[in-house]
Amino acid sequence: MFRHLTASRPLSLLACLAMTACGGGGDGGSLANTPPPAVNQGVYEGSTSNTGAPDFQMLVLEDGAVWAIYGNQTSNTFFVEGFVQGQGSFNGGQVSANDIRDHGFFPAISGRLSGSYTSAPAVTGQITNGSGSVTFSANGIVGGAYNYQAPAQLSDIAGNWNTSLTTGGTASLTISNTGVVGGVASTGCNFTGQITPRASGKNVFNVSLTFTSAQCELQGQTATGVALTYPTVAGPQQLIVLVQDASRSAGVAAFGTR
């Protein structure tokens, strides 16, 4: 894992997603580091000015952390090209983050997000780096098959999953009824870990994975992040797992349906 991507990929992939609050680990921008209003927490979906990977889904957590995937949506799978992670500051309808990380690249590249949000909930804005900027707009998902307000259930995610990786290749995951994770990537990289319902009581899982074999780029290291599962329009259940290492320089998304 973490072998495929290079920093030469175009800026158009940088911001397919970085919606309401991509910061994480930085100073959160020029605004005070304040979390989002309750109405702005949850999952968003929308589009950006990137034509190569125009679809996205964005998770805004109660502490202002954001995990946002970008790629191409079909009726039965979201094909993830990369993801953006960060910590945002929300104040008076404005959101700002100075230290977002885009894991559509390896190593991840940094940028700055600025935008505005409403209680609809909705958000618009742009993300920039040294090469340019990409605009975005998104609306919160209210109702439907995925309910952010419901507690996450391990029974929804337990079992076997065959996933694709944004770093290239595939990975087979097994998640026990108690959230213990075991898996192997097509590169031969073995990993173990834990998936736990988030303490907030929302429909999100916390993830911790440790890479155990010599074939792993991060052998002996641990990556952390989040996971979601929800039914697709066509019926299959979608799984999305997003993790990054402690330095936020390496990240991978695993996605699949069953």
Side-chain angles (χ1 to χ4, degrees):
M1 302 176 88
F2 305 115
R3 294 184 184 274
H4 179 67
L5 302 182
T6 68
S8 63
R9 298 178 71 181
L11 174 69
S12 60
L13 285 185
L14 168 63
C16 291
L17 261 115
M19 294 312 92
T20 40
C22 303
D27 62 8
S30 58
L31 303 177
N33 189 13
T34 54
V39 69
N40 294 108
Q41 300 165 23
V43 175
Y44 291 71
E45 61 182 2
S47 61
T48 76
S49 57
N50 173 28
T51 58
D55 299 315
F56 71 86
Q57 295 175 359
M58 176 184 66
L59 171 66
V60 179
L61 296 174
E62 73 284 346
D63 60 0
V66 168
W67 299 80
I69 57 173
Y70 55 82
N72 293 276
Q73 177 74 67
T74 70
S75 62
N76 60 358
T77 303
F78 194 113
F79 293 93
V80 184
E81 292 285 344
F83 69 95
V84 173
Q85 191 280 329
Q87 185 74 31
S89 295
F90 299 76
N91 192 352
Q94 300 297 308
V95 58
S96 177
N98 277 345
D99 188 26
I100 65 166
R101 299 295 175 91
D102 185 351
H103 293 293
F105 304 81
F106 182 76
I109 62 174
S110 299
R112 185 181 189 281
L113 178 140
S114 60
S116 60
Y117 61 92
T118 72
S119 60
V123 62
T124 60
Q126 66 179 6
I127 182 171
T128 61
N129 71 1
S131 300
S133 65
V134 176
T135 60
F136 60 81
S137 62
N139 294 304
I141 297 175
V142 180
Y146 174 80
N147 181 6
Y148 173 75
Q149 300 297 334
Q153 301 290 334
L154 281 171
S155 57
D156 292 337
I157 205 170
N160 299 319
W161 295 88
N162 293 317
T163 66
S164 298
L165 304 174
T166 51
T167 50
T170 61
S172 298
L173 306 179
T174 299
I175 305 171
S176 77
N177 292 331
T178 58
V180 176
V181 179
V184 59
S186 54
T187 58
C189 172
N190 290 281
F191 53 93
T192 61
Q194 186 75 39
I195 289 182
T196 307
R198 194 165 170 84
S200 64
K202 306 303 183 184
N203 197 5
V204 182
F205 298 90
N206 290 334
V207 181
S208 177
L209 299 177
T210 299
F211 305 100
T212 58
S213 61
Q215 293 87 346
C216 303
E217 188 75 15
L218 299 180
Q219 182 185 9
Q221 298 185 49
T222 297
T224 58
V226 296
L228 293 175
T229 186
Y230 55 88
T232 63
V233 172
Q237 192 81 1
Q238 171 103 47
L239 172 70
I240 295 174
V241 180
L242 311 173
V243 295
Q244 62 183 356
D245 70 339
S247 70
R248 300 176 66 228
S249 64
V252 63
F255 60 96
T257 59
R258 67 179 186 190

